Amino acid sequence: MYASHFNRDSTTSPISKLPVELLSEIFTLCALPAGQPSSTVEDEECYLPVINSETVRAPFILSRVNRRWRDIVLSQSSLWASLCITAELIQDSDCTFTGASQKLSSLNTSHITSCLQRSRRAPLNILIDVRDPEWNFSETGVGLDDADSPPIPTLFSSDNMAIVMSLLVPHLSRWRHLTILTDTWVSMHTALSAINPAITSLGAPCLESLTLMRCNDFVSFSPQFQPQDLKGPTFMSRFGPEASSQDFGILPKLKQLSLRGVHVDWDSLAAAMRASTVGLTSLELASHCSDVRPSNDQFHAILQSVPTLRRLVITGSGPESPEDLEDAPLDHDPVPLHHLQNVTIGYRTALEGRTVLQLLDAPNVKSLTLEDATYPGDPEEINGGSLLAYVGCRKFKGNDSDFRVEYPPPLVAVDTGSKQNSCIHRRKSSAVPSCEESNAAFPLLENVTLKCVKSSPWPLRTFFNALPRLQHLELIGMSMQAVQALVPCAPGSLPTCPCPQLRSLCIRNSEQLQVRDLDFIIGNLGAERQSKGACGLREVDIHVDAARAACVAASPGSPGTRVNIYSDDEDDSDDDEDYMSEEDAMDIDPFSPGGAFNDPIFDQYYSTQAISH
């Protein structure tokens, strides 16, 4: 792609006649990954630069073509403002000590120092990705300590992280985008310990996005944070006389914040957001242990401090409440978030999900994702029906009988022995009162994703009846009851058809659906809905295994509906051949020792913690 040596005839080549301004723009595009457009005024708020080891090499390569190019590249400080720090910077060297040859690993910092120097005063985009693909999820102080098999050291050690931070922290005032991805907590703790004194005293005046991610979601299912001895000091903690100050304007330009498995001082975070001059637009909290999550008061304060929020993701990080207060009303009123358009809630208890929903006054939300984020091997199922009911009518119904008076019953597909002729039988229902104005929590929803949400039919019907503008629906790991709730109601019932504007439907992880269910979705669902005045389904995407894909592909679809059948086995076929045969995989019980959901060490540790907790 780039020239590697100087061409003698370059002075007469057409490219040598290009003006400096045009060459500078070309060089800027060379530093972008393939397919990523440059930022514009319209998307400036949501623009995040994509940084990888390839993009940061561009200025080094361009500067070696010829003298003119080198002068232009060196004069363009923004080309050097992106730093990608990974384990690739670790270099092995042979060292002879007392007559024996040993291999030593050291961090090559020449790339970092060159970029810091040549970027001059340009805002910095920093990616620190020290994840190790060979890491075996073992970590000191996490789970059961096994002296016979101590944790394998990570390739990028905490000492290396300390060296990196010593180079970057002096340039804190220039940080614009910072992303830190680690496998273990000790590396993240080292980084945050180096940043905290500087950021709490001097602030980060240019920082627009901050992503801190501990890439070990499993440890977040523990009631107590692990490793316990490194739980504190908490990031953004204030010490000294300034700790009592209400003004904490350390992040005046922060727009996007993502904390996955990384906890902070929640009170300080709320104070910093209140003092922001631009306002946060995206907030993501995910994978936090119970004892480091924000309390109800802290979570409410955080929401109050971000009135400009447009995107909110809460997955396994909602406020913790005692189980004996499950039915107690909240002490706080919902927080007005009228700019909020995208909401994702991954709940690990129904109470957690309900608490988050009750604190949101966001009538303009257009995209919603509800996900059961419990541990995959947990035998106890969480009933998410109350969350669906709240979105539909702002009420938490206790059982199915509470829904029957107000909402028409779902339709039940009955197998008649023929794939093409699945009959729909309607259960008799009591009289339905006149339809009043919608009291839905998010009446303007256009896109909805339900992932593994367990619910009885009535909350599903309540949920879909409250979505008159829904256009796209994605069902991941859902039962046939969710599809049945989309079927029109019995004659005389109001409303006659849930989601009348629904145009596209996507089915993923459809292990719970039989072939006859998929045939009904392809051939009958759209026709049933159109007969009640709803828009026809324009597109249906179904992701299934190869065996069912062949059967479903032969089924006739509804007129005007484009059906796409995707085989989930195609993408993973090569990897599966190296791992085990399909027959061997089917012989393994996932709950038996060695199965997918049976990790003796993990289960023993966390079951003990849960009992003691």
Side-chain angles (χ1 to χ4, degrees), residues 558-575:
S558 299
T561 301
R562 184 175 67 180
V563 179
N564 302 311
I565 307 298
Y566 300 96
S567 175
D568 293 337
D569 297 342
E570 292 179 356
D571 297 335
D572 303 329
S573 58
D574 296 337
D575 297 335

Side-chain angles (χ1 to χ4, degrees), residues 115-133:
C115 288
L116 291 175
Q117 179 182 5
R118 295 173 180 178
S119 60
R120 295 186 287 278
R121 296 184 179 181
L124 296 174
N125 307 317
I126 305 171
L127 169 63
I128 304 176
D129 185 356
V130 297
R131 294 173 295 178
D132 185 355

Side-chain angles (χ1 to χ4, degrees), residues 215-393:
C215 303
N216 184 1
D217 187 57
F218 287 105
V219 75
S220 67
F221 291 97
S222 169
Q224 287 84 34
F225 179 83
Q226 302 291 329
Q228 192 68 28
D229 58 334
L230 296 180
K231 180 180 177 180
T234 310
F235 183 54
M236 295 183 66
S237 296
R238 292 180 283 178
F239 304 97
E242 69 277 6
S244 59
S245 174
Q246 295 297 323
D247 185 11
F248 197 46
I250 61 172
L251 301 170
K253 294 186 178 181
L254 190 66
K255 299 177 182 178
Q256 303 184 43
L257 175 63
S258 178
L259 302 173
R260 297 185 65 91
V262 177
H263 57 284
V264 301
D265 187 311
W266 304 113
D267 294 324
S268 296
L269 175 61
M273 293 301 97
R274 283 194 298 268
S276 173
T277 58
V278 298
L280 201 69
T281 59
S282 176
L283 174 62
E284 179 179 8
L285 304 178
S287 304
H288 289 95
C289 298
S290 300
D291 62 338
V292 294
R293 295 187 188 183
S295 64
N296 281 332
D297 293 341
Q298 291 171 330
F299 188 74
H300 184 263
I302 292 173
L303 292 180
Q304 282 187 317
S305 67
V306 289
T308 56
L309 202 62
R310 295 186 178 184
R311 175 178 175 267
L312 176 64
V313 178
I314 306 294
T315 303
S317 298
E320 281 287 306
S321 300
E323 294 183 359
D324 55 350
L325 299 179
E326 182 171 356
D327 298 327
L330 285 179
D331 296 332
H332 304 288
D333 294 330
V335 179
L337 296 171
H338 294 168
H339 296 280
L340 190 60
Q341 295 189 355
N342 190 312
V343 175
T344 297
I345 299 177
Y347 56 91
R348 293 182 177 176
T349 65
L351 177 59
E352 175 191 350
R354 292 197 297 266
T355 301
V356 175
L357 283 173
Q358 282 183 289
L359 289 176
L360 300 180
D361 178 13
N364 297 315
V365 170
K366 294 184 178 180
S367 179
L368 172 67
T369 297
L370 283 180
E371 175 185 359
D372 185 332
T374 55
Y375 177 57
D378 193 340
E380 182 180 356
E381 292 188 350
I382 302 298
N383 187 348
S386 59
L387 280 69
L388 297 173
Y390 184 83
V391 175
C393 62

Side-chain angles (χ1 to χ4, degrees), residues 407-419:
Y407 301 94
L411 306 178
V412 182
V414 179
D415 183 20
T416 61
S418 173
K419 295 181 181 179

